[in-house]
Amino acid sequence: MLNADLHCHSTVSDGMLPPEALAARAKTNGVELWALTDHDEVGGLVAARHAAHAEGLSFVPGVEISITWAGHTVHIVGLQIDPFCPALVEGLAQTRSGRTRRAQEMADALAQAGVAGAYEGALQYVGNPELISRTHFARYMVEAGICPSVNAVFESYLSDGKPGYVPHRWATLEDAIEWIHAAGGQAVIAHPGRYKMTALQHDSLFDRFKELGGEGVEVTTGSHTPAQYETYAGLARRYGLLASRGSDFHGPSESRVDLGKLPPLPDSVTPIWRGW
Ligand code: AMP
Ligand code: MN
Ligand code: MN
Ligand code: MN
């Protein structure tokens, strides 16, 4: 099967490598079809496409949109999008606009929890001033010796319910799918195994996503266990959704799975790239 990796992050959002270095790494790792999917941002896609083509790599322009659904933060990946589509560009700019304020509130909450200077600390890791994320705080707190790993920072401080967590209202599911479709792309539910929802909420997310014309679901992702590959392959079939595969690579020292290194999709699903 084609080695497609359709989910990763550059320094334009919360990844550690610039688009050019990601393209080179994807090539080295045997990726044949590669998408860059920065959080709420398409600013890296022109450089990524250029670098991919220079490496002889097929490129898919992508994005990962943060939405709030039934009180949960959910991520919707858009693939084969036109990065210049005004509805998408404006929608994403609006989604990004609350991040700086949220980061200041996070820093205040962390100060209350005994972590001083977190805003300035996180800023040192930010590559795009419009895209300050929890990941940047986590990197600073590891460097400051507060926790041993980014994952540990999330577990102790930054996950929902922890002292540095600030609830945030992102875009709606309807908006995200509309923007992706306006840009000629396909919408994919990212890493569904990660959402801590009730079974009812989980099923309603899929029902509503289908109703709105969503096309795909990530089956094989760096966030899923092998058992979840099978669970979501079954769900993709049941809902008539196409299947996607993506490492969600953020950086060499941080990500469990490297670009192109996931197992192939289960045979029982239809890969989203089959129709491209
Ligand atoms: P934000 O968009 O600012 O809420 O940050 C979300 C990002 O935080 C995700 O895209 C991941 O990169 C990262 N993240 C979330 N949970 C964890 C975790 N448990 N361990 C490591 N990184 C995480
Ligand atoms: Mn991320
Ligand atoms: Mn995500
Ligand atoms: Mn991601």
Side-chain angles (χ1 to χ4, degrees), residues 230-247:
E230 294 310 320
T231 304
Y232 287 100
L235 218 88
R237 285 199 306 277
R238 208 164 79 232
Y239 277 90
L241 289 169
L242 300 166
S244 192
R245 172 183 189 258
S247 57

Side-chain angles (χ1 to χ4, degrees), residues 13 20 47 74 117-119 153 218 240 251:
S13 65
E20 295 79 3
V74 168
Y119 186 74
V153 180
E218 285 186 343

Side-chain angles (χ1 to χ4, degrees), residues 18-61:
E20 295 79 3
L22 284 171
R25 192 176 184 98
K27 178 68 180 181
T28 303
N29 287 2
V31 174
E32 295 163 290
L33 182 64
W34 174 57
L36 176 64
T37 56
D38 276 311
H39 295 287
D40 307 321
E41 176 62 281
V42 289
L45 295 178
V46 167
R49 178 193 294 280
H50 192 78
H53 290 168
E55 298 281 354
L57 202 54
S58 295
F59 182 68
V60 178

Side-chain angles (χ1 to χ4, degrees), residues 7 9 39 64 75 190-191 194-195 248:
H7 188 152
H9 299 274
H39 295 287
E64 181 175 21
H75 288 168
H191 43 61
R194 234 165 75 175
Y195 307 128
D248 206 358

Side-chain angles (χ1 to χ4, degrees), residues 188-201:
V188 176
I189 299 178
H191 43 61
R194 234 165 75 175
Y195 307 128
K196 299 196 170 43
M197 296 176 182
T198 64
L200 188 64
Q201 288 174 328

